[in-house]
Amino acid sequence: MADSKASLSIDGNVVAELPILKGSAGNDVIDIRTLGAAGYFTYDPGFMATASCESEITFIDGDKGILQHRGYAIDSLAKQADYLEVCYILLHGEAPNRTQYDEFKGIINNHTMVHEKLVHFFHGFLPDAHPMAMLCGVVGALSSFYHSDLDIHAPDQRMRSAHRLIAKMPTIAAMAYKYSIGQPFVYPRNDLNYAENFLHMMFSVPAEPYVVSPTVARAMDRIFTLHADHEQNASTSTVRLAGSSGANPYACIAAGVASLWGPAHGGANEACLTMLNEIGSLDRVDEYVAKAKDKSDPFRLMGFGHRVYKNFDPRATVMRETCHEVLKELGIQDPLLDVAMALEKVALEDPYFIEKKLYPNVDFYSGIILKAIGIPTNMFTVIFAMSRNVGWIAHWDEMLGQPGQKIGRPRQKYTGEINRKFIPLSER
Ligand code: CMC
């Protein structure tokens, strides 16, 4: 519903009256859908001021450091709910009661195993393949197993795909890891919770039992929860765009995995650890901080800054607490973690970072936690993808359920040649 109007005048002439639409919170949006007919497109590379859709799932106020899923604050969810509860909330819009929660957990447990044929896909990868490459390929390949259940216009089939993806993603992620280190795949155990089961599939071996530490499982669950959704970020927008053409959910989620892989997005936690390795020791921290501040040097401190949060990232606040808890409880001595803590201190106190509002982001702390609990660096982004998977599906499902859903098709400002006379090859 339009509450007021903006008029666009060019050289004193009003060319369009544009309705201003109000959401339930956040910036109002100027509805520019009629502008094309007036002969104009808007130009916003990087989507700095563009709302691409209407959504009820996640609200962010970057200036105030607010992140809410379905209206629930992220710190309450991280501290008082577990990841499966958050999945339910993202998918269904309401916190489950005990019966609904148990039923949801049962459904997810029913789907944790993958078809044995899927095992063969892994054997086609080179042993040193990046686990994100395997995840991307194998998740996309899931569509070949569920042909008869891929009617994207049937809400029950969409929800079944959601359940399958939530249940199978940890199994596939752990398989990618086991394959890369030459160990046998470990089957899921449905008596464990989501985080415990993932750790079991990652770290247990047939030769001896693996006991999951409750501290580590809780930290893992928090990492899942804090990464579960983040509004219209690059990978979620990728999933929506892929899904807008009617592509199947597994292909769309594979597209999300690909988009997340980049170092400016989900690849940041891996890039952060690579950077800590490169810094190597406490005496080099100042040198790298100076490099990050040097305009002529492209180097950036990985794990610092955020497109949306310009004061603080509420996920980073919870993650920081968990990070310090885990380091204390596990009593880990690691020079890289000392470098990380020194970097955090310098960056929080340095005027360059303060002025530019560059704070350690969620991936700075999640990278340190994952390293402390023994997860190899190349699995960091995989874990981010597993966690974000539910957000992707919730957005995909929401989009397909909206009336009048259209294929996403941006326009452009064309800057190439025009109306050239083509000379045949024989005459050139
Ligand atoms: N280290 C040093 N300087 C930085 C950094 C950094 N990490 N990030 C931004 N800047 C500077 C940048 O050089 C620019 O300076 P100036 O105004 O003098 O030109 C200013 O801060 C603004 O940077 P920007 O690139 O215009 O900001 P953005 O909002 O487009 O980028 C970002 C956000 C996250 C891509 C960027 O901060 C970055 O590259 N950070 C490192 C990578 C990272 O940690 N990414 C994970 C984000 S959180 C996970 C997720 O949600 O996916």
Side-chain angles (χ1 to χ4, degrees):
M1 199 187 72
D3 297 289
S4 48
K5 283 193 171 185
S7 47
L8 176 69
S9 68
I10 295 175
D11 298 333
N13 298 318
V14 173
V15 292
E17 295 279 357
L18 305 168
I20 299 181
L21 310 178
K22 277 195 182 305
S24 52
N27 289 1
D28 295 345
V29 299
I30 301 174
D31 179 349
I32 52 123
R33 281 175 289 184
T34 55
L35 204 53
Y40 292 94
F41 294 140
T42 53
Y43 179 61
D44 185 18
F47 303 112
M48 304 293 286
T50 294
S52 62
C53 62
E54 195 173 298
S55 179
E56 296 180 354
I57 300 173
T58 290
F59 172 66
I60 300 177
D61 183 329
D63 293 328
K64 295 195 185 121
I66 294 174
L67 167 61
Q68 298 181 354
H69 296 318
R70 302 288 193 177
Y72 303 110
I74 189 65
D75 59 331
S76 325
L77 293 175
K79 289 176 184 163
Q80 294 169 38
D82 72 4
Y83 178 68
L84 277 190
E85 216 173 327
V86 174
C87 289
Y88 185 99
I89 290 169
L90 286 168
L91 288 175
H92 298 290
E94 293 293 333
N97 60 30
R98 170 57 62 187
T99 314
Q100 290 166 324
Y101 175 80
D102 289 343
E103 195 191 335
F104 183 67
K105 199 171 169 183
I107 293 171
I108 299 300
N109 278 346
N110 258 334
H111 289 289
T112 50
M113 285 172 66
V114 293
H115 196 291
E116 275 299 305
K117 286 271 180 220
L118 205 82
V119 171
H120 300 295
F121 281 77
F122 281 93
H123 294 294
F125 289 107
L126 293 174
D128 63 352
H130 195 288
M132 277 299 275
M134 295 191 240
L135 189 72
C136 200
V138 174
V139 167
L142 280 177
S143 45
S144 63
F145 292 81
Y146 302 108
H147 259 311
S148 55
D149 212 16
L150 284 179
D151 179 357
I152 59 162
H153 302 295
D156 60 325
Q157 294 195 28
R158 288 207 300 271
M159 201 42 73
R160 256 195 313 280
S161 303
H163 295 152
R164 284 199 181 101
L165 278 156
I166 294 169
K168 293 184 199 311
M169 199 75 138
T171 314
I172 294 170
M175 286 171 88
Y177 172 59
K178 288 296 196 189
Y179 182 74
S180 70
I181 56 167
Q183 285 187 4
F185 299 133
V186 174
Y187 287 95
R189 264 185 52 191
N190 293 346
D191 59 317
L192 299 175
N193 72 29
Y194 197 82
E196 290 168 342
N197 178 45
F198 175 62
L199 290 163
H200 154 75
M201 291 188 290
M202 285 285 291
F203 294 122
S204 87
V205 287
E208 54 189 66
Y210 169 74
V211 181
V212 184
S213 142
T215 310
V216 170
R218 184 69 202 138
M220 199 74 242
D221 191 80
R222 265 195 190 170
I223 289 178
F224 294 157
T225 294
L226 291 171
H227 287 88
D229 189 42
H230 212 228
E231 202 224 55
Q232 311 307 325
N233 56 85
S235 55
T236 304
S237 300
T238 302
V239 171
R240 277 188 178 258
L241 199 55
S244 75
S245 71
N248 76 68
Y250 305 99
C252 296
I253 300 303
V257 174
S259 168
L260 188 86
W261 196 354
H265 191 8
N269 50 16
E270 179 174 348
C272 177
L273 255 284
T274 306
M275 174 193 76
L276 293 177
N277 268 312
E278 195 184 311
I279 299 175
S281 59
L282 284 176
D283 56 327
R284 300 187 65 199
V285 167
D286 289 345
E287 179 196 328
Y288 276 82
V289 171
K291 259 166 85 64
K293 288 161 39 175
D294 181 356
K295 275 232 156 276
S296 60
D297 190 325
F299 174 78
R300 285 185 170 199
L301 281 187
M302 286 293 129
F304 287 78
H306 199 275
R307 166 60 66 82
V308 176
Y309 298 117
K310 297 300 181 192
N311 278 317
F312 70 97
D313 176 344
R315 303 167 303 169
T317 313
V318 185
M319 201 59 103
R320 181 176 195 274
E321 250 175 64
T322 309
C323 177
H324 288 283
E325 254 166 51
V326 169
L327 294 186
K328 191 164 162 227
E329 195 146 333
L330 299 183
I332 288 171
Q333 297 298 322
D334 183 329
L336 284 199
L337 300 179
D338 295 340
V339 170
M341 291 301 113
L343 207 57
E344 179 199 34
K345 189 163 182 299
V346 174
L348 287 175
E349 291 168 359
D350 190 294
Y352 171 92
F353 292 91
I354 295 171
E355 271 159 31
K356 292 196 184 297
K357 303 189 169 180
L358 299 170
Y359 301 91
N361 58 46
V362 65
D363 286 319
F364 177 74
Y365 296 110
S366 67
I368 298 168
I369 298 175
L370 292 173
K371 161 123 181 87
I373 62 185
I375 305 271
T377 313
N378 63 2
M379 282 296 290
F380 288 10
T381 315
V382 171
I383 288 171
F384 190 162
M386 270 173 58
S387 321
R388 183 58 54 87
N389 172 43
V390 65
W392 294 332
I393 310 167
H395 282 273
W396 169 81
D397 181 60
E398 177 183 65
M399 176 187 71
L400 292 172
Q402 282 168 339
Q405 181 261 322
K406 280 187 183 319
I407 186 170
R409 174 57 169 91
R411 300 305 301 263
Q412 62 174 5
K413 170 175 162 251
Y414 179 68
T415 55
E417 299 280 355
I418 198 89
N419 295 337
R420 299 167 91 183
K421 182 171 165 43
F422 182 75
I423 316 280
L425 187 58
S426 57
E427 294 171 30
R428 258 181 272 146

